[in-house]
Structure formats: structure tokens, C-alpha cells
Amino acid sequence: MAYADDAEHEELHEPKSFWTKYVWSQDHKVIAIQYSLTAIVAGMVALTLSALMRMQIGLPGVIDMDAATYYQYVTMHGMIMVIYLLTALFLGGFGNYLIPLMCGARDMVFPFVNMLSFWFYLLSVIILFASFFVPGGPSGAGWTLYPPQAITEGTPGSGWGIILMLISLAVFIVAATMGGLNYVTTVLQARTHGMTMMRLPLSVWGIFVATILALLAFPALFVSAVMMMLDKTLHTSFFMPAMVSLGQQLDYSGGSPILFQHLFWFFGHPEVYIVALPAFGIVSDIISVHARKNIFGYKMMVWAIVAIGGLSFVVWAHHMYVSGMNPYFGFFFATTTLIIAIPTAIKVYNWVLTLWQGNLHLTVPMLFAIAFILTFVVGGMTGLFLGNVIVDVPLSDTYFVVAHFHMVMGVAPILVVFGAIYHWYPKITGRMLNDTIGHIHFWITFIGTYLIYFPMHYLGVLGMPRRYYAYEGYDFLPESAHDLNVFITVVALILGTAQFLFIFNMLYSYFRGKVASPNPWKACSLEWLTPDTPPAHGNWGDKLPVVHRWAYDYSVPGAPDDFVAQTVSTDEVASESATDDELIELEGHQPSET
Amino acid sequence: MNEYVSEPSLNFGRSYSSVALSRSGFMGLRTEKVALYILLAVASSLFMLFMLAYLIRSNVGDWDTLSQPWNPLSNRSQLWLNTSMLLCSSISFEYARRMVKSGNEAGILRGLMLAGLFTLTFLIGQVTVWQQLIDQGYYLNTNPANSFFYVLTALHGAHLFLGLIFWVTTMGRAWSGKSPEQVARITDMCATFWHFLFALWLLLFFILAGPPETIALLASYCDII
């Protein structure tokens, strides 16, 4: 590999000052931490907003919230969680940290652009949060920002709020594109000796394909943001139809709100998989390591990721069944939506088969990974309901939908985020997270989310509409629905508060945690084999690692340890192992054909 | 061996000029070329979605294609002139790229200079078209067809403008004779970028100011609203 040869001969330029090392850093590991911390702070804000919203729904009167504020919180909660937390954390955080280490590269291929990516991201977050402080407050249009209401007077934040939201999204897209350019190019170009694409850990595959989706799908959001901005500020009529608002004829005519919805969801559906695919990859790695077993059907897993990525571009209109569309369109999109169940089910089966007869270590990351599989199956099953037009129409705009997407897109990826942080924290900081706090955090989070979202399915089937800021005085809602709302709110508040355990654990362990060995989980992949923990600038010593096998050689019969690292050649294992018969087993350089 | 074909090491980052950029990674392409192709894919997605939005929106009754006989772009002479300018800049970059291969320093400088001048002429020509539209009362928000025209030409122009930033730095280097590898590599990248933007412009030209009946026919296939 030319990359590795070149990288070994090029001189390393160690950043010297505090500023170039920790602030204007071009080191992918520092950028990853900058991205992650920013995303977590944004996520904590969004979590607080959700707690306030739940207070309003379950315990009305305890806090003084009007409808406008409620909608602003809904909007900001959704937007922050989907874009500024999950997308940023999986791609900017984990992508940045893991890709160069797992590929065996010294860094991303364009470190300067990588640094810019973070600063643009931070700028987008600042712009978004600034909208809390402008006249009229942040946009209250719902995270989908549908026109005409998003930019029409009467909607909260239809002035500066929506303008800042659109600018922030545009800046975020620039950041994501600069980052994405690095992630894809690094995977394609900067793999070390012997690291073929089909030897890459599935985390890299998931992030790689998700980044390609992001690069191709974010332009749709960019296009719609630009056009909506012009509709708002210069009174073009891309999306705005002729309408009378507050007794006034507006100077718009002929624009199509449905066109916005098509553009938005052409971005919005791949966005689901931009978040899900990295989670799929990471969970595969965590399960394999902690079950001490090779991932079942590696090649199938890779192709399932690619297939899901491809299919995600042809399902967008299933978000628009009630917007009005040609019935044949509905049929087409229902069919493609249900087809996605096939590669997804393949992945779930393969995870289960990886666990099957494995030597399961129920560590905290493993618990989160298993919880993810359960949650993803639950959320995926309700997706089968909603994917069918005829079932979706009555359930649309009820809490069933809220329950579905929070299970599949909220809880499931967040469980992976937690699992991944518990898994890689020792490499990132050199210390272990506290195990007891970890277990408490896991059980509260896992059980808590089910207590919150399971009842919401029931509320949805009961017909409880979503997007209402108060539920008093509706005859069709029985008293029990209100009781359930109180229950959900109480659990949500406990769950939200419990997340401080996790924050505390991260801070406490950083200073006082048990010092971690370089490879505490005895994993095979390259990031655990760095000469320093945490890895130094340039990641590897003078020589880049040489890869001889895939990342999943656990419990190989005949091997001296229960794992064979990617850098170990067959000869090296053979010299230490027992009999010739067992050597046959050690030829496992390539993923098996299962 | 001429100095322009010596091996590159792209100095994209300050602290890390050392992240060696592989010459034979994905499909034997240089790293920066791979990155360029990825960027072109992103730009293609952006413009494709914009053009689809144009066709979809044009199905609404208030639409008035700018190339209709009663509208200004029924006379396309200025746009054709601009198109020829962009074609010339694309050709000039190709010329500079070939001069790089043969190591002809004067030729490189000539090609680069012409390419930049033609590009600037194209951009001025585009602004002229805008001015003509404004003079005749075809403002951004008078009709959605106008809105799309302004937005798409502006976006296309912005891409050229970004390219010109690289062009300026390359011109400076080619002029002073410093870092010939940089000149070679950026010229190569610019040539590819300009060819892309020229092809894109042909598509935009066709869709924004092509025969109204053809556009209406295409639009009818995209009538999903």
C-alpha cells in the first residue's frame, strides 16, 4: 500500500503549543473529542427541553408554559437530537476517532479540512442556540419545518427563529460535507499494509456508508433551506402558495408545500440511516468482542449495510402518506419500505447468531449492545405497521408514531452511543469508566425508556394525537390516558436525571478511574494495538501496523489466547500453538463465507 | 525528468503536511483526486435536486418559462456567448494540463491566464444577463422561473468563484516559478473541476432557457405535486 509506505517516511509534525494541540487541533482524536463534547452538551440541552415538555403534558400547571413555547421546545428538541447530537456524534465523534485508528492511518487525509469541519459545526450550534435569545424565540415549526406555517406570521419563531435555524442548518451541512469528505477519502485511500476493505471492522463500514449517504442526502436539505430562506426574506414563491394570513392576502402565489416535503424527506429518510448505520457497525463490533466470537456472516453484514444505504434513498415518501399523493406512489413507497426489512432482518439474525453459544461477558458495553438489538427490533416492528399506507393513515399524527421513531431512532442509537463510550473510553482516556455506576446507568436507562415509550404505543392506538400541548377537555381521551401521561412524565424525569450519573462517571473516571491497560477487552482490531494509550499524535510509532487478518478472530481453536489480533500473522500464531491439526483453523485471514 | 511530474505531497494542513497522500489507493487515483470526485458527486446531487425542484415546480399554473417567446430568454445570444466563454476556459485549463505533462512552463502560464480570463468573462456575462432581466422587470420574485434562474446561475457562479480562489494561488506560484508540483497538481484538479462545471452549465442552460415545449414535456414526467 502506497499510503503506508509514504506515511512511514514522512516526518511527523508534533503540535507544540497548547492552542495547536487542544484548540486549533488537526489531530483526528482531539477533533473527535471536540465534536463529541459539543454534541453531548447540545444533547443535554435537548434532553432538558424534553423534560420540560413532559412536565407540560403530564403535570400541567407545575410549570408555566404556553403553546408557543411548547412548540419551540418540540422543534429544538427534535432538530438538536437528530442533527446536532446523533449525526454529529456518530460521524464527527466516532467517525473521527475510529476511522484512522481502525484503518491503521496516521490521521485523516486532510487534517486542516477536518479541523474546519469541527469549527463550522460549533458555529452552527452557536447560531442555533442564539435563536433562543432573538425576538420571537426559536422556530416552533416542528423539526420538519414544513412551509407555509414555518415562515408565516403566527407560528412561533417565524421571524428570526426560522432564519437562524436555516442558516445554522446550512453551516452544519458545510461542516458535515468537509468532515464526510475526509471520512470517505481516508477509508478509501489511507488504509495500512494489508488492510483490505473486506478486513475493515464493521464500525468503519457503517460509518463509511453512512457518510456517503450524508454527502448525497444533505444537499436536499441545503436546497430546501436555501429556497425557504428566499421565500422568507425575498418573497419568492418556491414553497409558498397564495394564502390569506391574519386577514391579509400575502404576496405569495403558486408555491408548493408538497415540493418542500419531497425535498425534506429525500434528506430526512437517509438521515435515519445516517444515524442507524454507524450504530449497526459499532454494535457488531461490541457484540463480537464481548461475546468472544467472530461476527456471524461478515460479508453479509457488509452487503446489508450497503443495501440498506441504497434502499434508504427510495423510501422517502412513506413520511408523506397523509400529505396527499398518487395511490400508485403510495404503493411503490410502501413496497420499498417493507423491502428494507430484509437486509435489516439479516443484520438482526446475524447479531443473534453471533451471540449464540458465545462466551458472553455481560460488561456494560455488552449490555447496551444487547439492549440495542431488542429496542431496534421493537422499533422496527412498529415500522412495519407504519410502512403500510392503510395502517399508517389512522395512526399518523398519534403517539404511536412518536413511540415508533423514538424507539428506533432515539433510544436505539443512544444505547449504542452509551455502549460505544463505555467500550472505547479506556482507549480515549487511558482510564476505565466506573463499572458500578455504569450498571446502574444502564438499567435505569434501559428499563426507563421502555416504561416511557411502550405506553405511548397504547396511547397512539387509543387515538391520542401528537403535537398537542395540552390534553385536557378532550372527550375521546379517557381518564386512564391522563394517568398514563403522568406516569410517563415521572419516569422521563427520573430517566433524564439519571443521565447525570453518566456525565458524572465520565468526569470522575477521567481523573480517578482505574488505569486501563492498552487492550482491556482483549479485542482484535487495530485501535487497541496502538503503542500508546491514549494514542499519541500520529497514532503509531515509526512503522504503521501490518494487517494479516480480519478483526474478528476470537476463540480460534489452537490459538494461545482467545483472540488473535489483526496484526498477528499465521506463522506467529503457529509458532506458539499446539498441534498441526489446529493450524488449519488459523488460516482464517479472510472473513468466512457464512 | 521534468520537475512538474515529480511526486506530489499535498500540503493541505499545516501541522500535518506529512499525512502522506497515497498515489495508488482507490482505483489507482491520487488522494486529492478522489476527494475532488467526491465533491463533484456532492455538487451533482445538489444541482440535480435543484433541477428536479425546478421541473416539479414548473407544473403549477403560475409558471412562466423564461424562454417563452414573450420572455427575454427567447433571445439566447448573450447566454450562448457566455457558454462559449466557459467552453474556452475549460479548453484553456485542458491546454495548461497538457503543458504540465510536457513540462512547458510558458505554456502552463499561458493556459492558466487564458482560463482565468475566460472564466471572469463568463461571470461578467452572467451578471450582464441578470442586469438585462432586471432592466426588463424580471425580478427574483416576479415569477418562480425567474427565481430558479437567479438561484441556479448564482450557485453555479459560486462554484466557479471558489475554483478561482485555487486559480489565483496557482497563478501566483506558476508566475514565480515556485513549487512546480503544486502547480501541476492544482492545474490538473482545476481542469477536471472546470470540465465538470462546463458540462453542468450546458445542462442548466438547457433546462433554464431551452425550448419551452421540451421543458414542459420533461416537467410532465415529474408531476408529483
Side-chain angles (χ1 to χ4, degrees), chain A residues 250-265:
Chain A
L250 302 183
D251 55 354
Y252 295 111
S253 70
S256 168
I258 302 284
L259 172 59
F260 177 88
Q261 296 188 18
H262 278 294
L263 283 171
F264 182 86
W265 288 113

Side-chain angles (χ1 to χ4, degrees), chain A residues 105-125:
Chain A
R106 287 231 187 269
D107 205 308
M108 289 288 178
V109 286
F110 305 120
F112 182 71
V113 180
N114 204 21
M115 177 185 76
L116 278 186
S117 166
F118 166 70
W119 290 102
F120 271 73
Y121 165 61
L122 184 66
L123 180 66
S124 75
V125 173

